PDB file of all heavy atoms in Angstrom:
ATOM      1  N   ASP A 127       5.007 -14.018   8.023  1.00 93.00           N
ATOM      2  CA  ASP A 127       6.227 -13.541   7.351  1.00 93.00           C
ATOM      3  C   ASP A 127       6.074 -12.144   6.939  1.00 93.00           C
ATOM      4  O   ASP A 127       5.097 -11.688   6.352  1.00 93.00           O
ATOM      5  CB  ASP A 127       6.434 -14.425   6.101  1.00 93.00           C
ATOM      6  CG  ASP A 127       6.640 -15.917   6.457  1.00 93.00           C
ATOM      7  OD1 ASP A 127       7.766 -16.291   6.666  1.00 93.00           O
ATOM      8  OD2 ASP A 127       5.655 -16.689   6.476  1.00 93.00           O
ATOM      9  N   PRO A 128       7.127 -11.314   7.212  1.00 93.00           N
ATOM     10  CA  PRO A 128       7.056  -9.897   6.855  1.00 93.00           C
ATOM     11  C   PRO A 128       7.159  -9.706   5.310  1.00 93.00           C
ATOM     12  O   PRO A 128       7.889 -10.408   4.677  1.00 93.00           O
ATOM     13  CB  PRO A 128       8.317  -9.284   7.579  1.00 93.00           C
ATOM     14  CG  PRO A 128       9.185 -10.444   7.774  1.00 93.00           C
ATOM     15  CD  PRO A 128       8.343 -11.685   7.914  1.00 93.00           C
ATOM     16  N   VAL A 129       6.330  -8.718   4.846  1.00 95.00           N
ATOM     17  CA  VAL A 129       6.438  -8.378   3.436  1.00 95.00           C
ATOM     18  C   VAL A 129       6.643  -6.882   3.382  1.00 95.00           C
ATOM     19  O   VAL A 129       5.970  -6.089   3.958  1.00 95.00           O
ATOM     20  CB  VAL A 129       5.098  -8.708   2.725  1.00 95.00           C
ATOM     21  CG1 VAL A 129       5.097  -8.246   1.261  1.00 95.00           C
ATOM     22  CG2 VAL A 129       4.796 -10.218   2.805  1.00 95.00           C
ATOM     23  N   THR A 130       7.674  -6.449   2.584  1.00 96.00           N
ATOM     24  CA  THR A 130       7.940  -5.004   2.502  1.00 96.00           C
ATOM     25  C   THR A 130       7.269  -4.528   1.196  1.00 96.00           C
ATOM     26  O   THR A 130       7.453  -5.041   0.094  1.00 96.00           O
ATOM     27  CB  THR A 130       9.485  -4.722   2.343  1.00 96.00           C
ATOM     28  OG1 THR A 130      10.111  -5.159   3.524  1.00 96.00           O
ATOM     29  CG2 THR A 130       9.766  -3.255   2.096  1.00 96.00           C
ATOM     30  N   ILE A 131       6.431  -3.521   1.355  1.00 97.00           N
ATOM     31  CA  ILE A 131       5.765  -2.853   0.196  1.00 97.00           C
ATOM     32  C   ILE A 131       6.445  -1.525  -0.056  1.00 97.00           C
ATOM     33  O   ILE A 131       6.376  -0.558   0.767  1.00 97.00           O
ATOM     34  CB  ILE A 131       4.190  -2.697   0.481  1.00 97.00           C
ATOM     35  CG1 ILE A 131       3.635  -4.048   0.721  1.00 97.00           C
ATOM     36  CG2 ILE A 131       3.576  -2.063  -0.801  1.00 97.00           C
ATOM     37  CD1 ILE A 131       2.126  -4.066   1.010  1.00 97.00           C
ATOM     38  N   ARG A 132       7.177  -1.408  -1.131  1.00 96.00           N
ATOM     39  CA  ARG A 132       7.899  -0.174  -1.450  1.00 96.00           C
ATOM     40  C   ARG A 132       7.071   0.620  -2.467  1.00 96.00           C
ATOM     41  O   ARG A 132       6.221   0.099  -3.167  1.00 96.00           O
ATOM     42  CB  ARG A 132       9.228  -0.547  -2.086  1.00 96.00           C
ATOM     43  CG  ARG A 132       9.121  -1.537  -3.227  1.00 96.00           C
ATOM     44  CD  ARG A 132      10.483  -1.853  -3.843  1.00 96.00           C
ATOM     45  NE  ARG A 132      10.373  -2.934  -4.843  1.00 96.00           N
ATOM     46  CZ  ARG A 132       9.958  -2.900  -6.032  1.00 96.00           C
ATOM     47  NH1 ARG A 132       9.390  -1.751  -6.447  1.00 96.00           N
ATOM     48  NH2 ARG A 132       9.954  -3.918  -6.780  1.00 96.00           N
ATOM     49  N   PRO A 133       7.279   1.877  -2.458  1.00 96.00           N
ATOM     50  CA  PRO A 133       6.528   2.766  -3.444  1.00 96.00           C
ATOM     51  C   PRO A 133       6.902   2.392  -4.878  1.00 96.00           C
ATOM     52  O   PRO A 133       8.019   2.038  -5.235  1.00 96.00           O
ATOM     53  CB  PRO A 133       6.940   4.191  -3.076  1.00 96.00           C
ATOM     54  CG  PRO A 133       8.274   4.043  -2.396  1.00 96.00           C
ATOM     55  CD  PRO A 133       8.239   2.654  -1.697  1.00 96.00           C
ATOM     56  N   GLY A 134       5.871   2.532  -5.753  1.00 94.00           N
ATOM     57  CA  GLY A 134       6.207   2.466  -7.137  1.00 94.00           C
ATOM     58  C   GLY A 134       7.030   3.659  -7.627  1.00 94.00           C
ATOM     59  O   GLY A 134       7.256   4.610  -6.866  1.00 94.00           O
ATOM     60  N   VAL A 135       7.472   3.652  -8.902  1.00 94.00           N
ATOM     61  CA  VAL A 135       8.406   4.666  -9.355  1.00 94.00           C
ATOM     62  C   VAL A 135       7.773   6.080  -9.246  1.00 94.00           C
ATOM     63  O   VAL A 135       8.486   7.025  -8.765  1.00 94.00           O
ATOM     64  CB  VAL A 135       8.839   4.347 -10.784  1.00 94.00           C
ATOM     65  CG1 VAL A 135       9.729   5.438 -11.348  1.00 94.00           C
ATOM     66  CG2 VAL A 135       9.603   2.999 -10.832  1.00 94.00           C
ATOM     67  N   THR A 136       6.558   6.241  -9.675  1.00 96.00           N
ATOM     68  CA  THR A 136       5.966   7.573  -9.670  1.00 96.00           C
ATOM     69  C   THR A 136       5.663   8.028  -8.246  1.00 96.00           C
ATOM     70  O   THR A 136       6.006   9.214  -7.921  1.00 96.00           O
ATOM     71  CB  THR A 136       4.637   7.558 -10.447  1.00 96.00           C
ATOM     72  OG1 THR A 136       4.895   7.143 -11.854  1.00 96.00           O
ATOM     73  CG2 THR A 136       3.993   8.908 -10.514  1.00 96.00           C
ATOM     74  N   MET A 137       5.249   7.213  -7.380  1.00 96.00           N
ATOM     75  CA  MET A 137       5.007   7.592  -6.028  1.00 96.00           C
ATOM     76  C   MET A 137       6.357   7.972  -5.376  1.00 96.00           C
ATOM     77  O   MET A 137       6.425   8.962  -4.569  1.00 96.00           O
ATOM     78  CB  MET A 137       4.312   6.435  -5.245  1.00 96.00           C
ATOM     79  CG  MET A 137       4.122   6.751  -3.742  1.00 96.00           C
ATOM     80  SD  MET A 137       3.541   5.420  -2.770  1.00 96.00           S
ATOM     81  CE  MET A 137       1.867   5.115  -3.452  1.00 96.00           C
ATOM     82  N   ALA A 138       7.410   7.220  -5.576  1.00 96.00           N
ATOM     83  CA  ALA A 138       8.718   7.473  -4.992  1.00 96.00           C
ATOM     84  C   ALA A 138       9.224   8.863  -5.477  1.00 96.00           C
ATOM     85  O   ALA A 138       9.736   9.593  -4.668  1.00 96.00           O
ATOM     86  CB  ALA A 138       9.654   6.359  -5.396  1.00 96.00           C
TER      87      ALA A 138
END
Side-chain angles (χ1 to χ4, degrees):
D127 297 273
V129 177
T130 298
I131 302 180
R132 52 178 172 74
V135 175
T136 301
M137 180 187 291

